[in-house]
Amino acid sequence: MEYSKTYTVKDEHIDVQQIVDGLYYPFYMEWCRHDFIREVLDFDFEAEAHKGNNMVLSRYTLQFVRSLKKGDTFQVTCSPMLDKTNKAVLHFRQTILLNNKIVTKAVFSGTCVKAGGGRPFLPEGLLSKLEGAPEWDGEL
């Protein structure tokens, strides 16, 4: 189940080299991932936070392949993957594509935690929507 959104580089994201500053690539991926989680997985971050359930990142790995430039229109993809050994962790394989060529690729891993503490978990409603999702093979 791959999800995709299209964005255009914002002028304020350009650095002195006239390319996108490296710190913005994870933000573009976050925007896409959050829309996927909200629209497809039906997980409302704000409503869940009010109930004391926080979805948080536990790690990410990102590889830069090429740079985005001012005015580029690009796609960001997001595909969920289950963890082979830890049912409380969800992974998202993501890419930024420009003209169908990989610009950046990453895997973001996260879980849910209760605001008051406790063990990490994934809500049943989320798990049921992820049924049949592939397991992460550890590769970008």
Side-chain angles (χ1 to χ4, degrees):
M1 112 183 32
E2 185 173 83
Y3 179 84
S4 178
K5 295 280 280 210
T6 300
Y7 302 94
T8 300
V9 170
K10 296 181 179 218
D11 289 350
E12 60 267 25
H13 296 172
I14 300 300
D15 67 15
V16 297
Q17 301 172 93
Q18 299 305 303
I19 59 176
V20 171
D21 188 300
L23 70 94
Y24 289 104
Y25 294 80
F27 281 111
Y28 293 136
M29 291 176 166
E30 178 184 58
W31 299 342
C32 179
R33 188 173 61 255
H34 281 201
D35 284 347
F36 170 79
I37 291 167
R38 194 172 26 259
E39 294 171 16
V40 178
L41 299 181
D42 200 28
F43 184 94
D44 183 324
F45 289 93
E46 189 173 346
E48 291 295 327
H50 287 298
K51 291 192 271 184
N53 299 323
N54 298 318
M55 185 176 277
V56 296
L57 283 178
S58 54
R59 79 181 245 179
Y60 70 89
T61 304
L62 187 134
Q63 179 182 354
F64 295 98
V65 178
R66 53 183 52 89
S67 298
L68 290 170
K69 297 179 181 120
K70 184 177 180 174
D72 281 346
T73 296
F74 58 95
Q75 290 71 46
V76 180
T77 67
C78 181
S79 299
M81 300 172 294
L82 301 172
D83 194 276
K84 289 182 181 185
T85 59
N86 188 343
K87 300 298 180 203
V89 176
L90 180 58
H91 307 282
F92 297 92
R93 179 173 278 135
Q94 295 194 255
T95 58
I96 294 178
L97 302 166
L98 178 64
N99 301 321
N100 293 318
K101 292 183 180 169
I102 293 176
V103 172
T104 308
K105 57 186 179 176
V107 172
F108 290 81
S109 303
T111 190
C112 290
V113 293
K114 294 282 185 189
R119 291 187 163 281
F121 70 99
L122 291 178
E124 283 304 317
L126 198 59
L127 286 170
S128 67
K129 292 193 189 280
L130 293 164
E131 209 168 297
E135 291 183 333
W136 184 37
D137 59 11
E139 296 293 317
L140 277 180

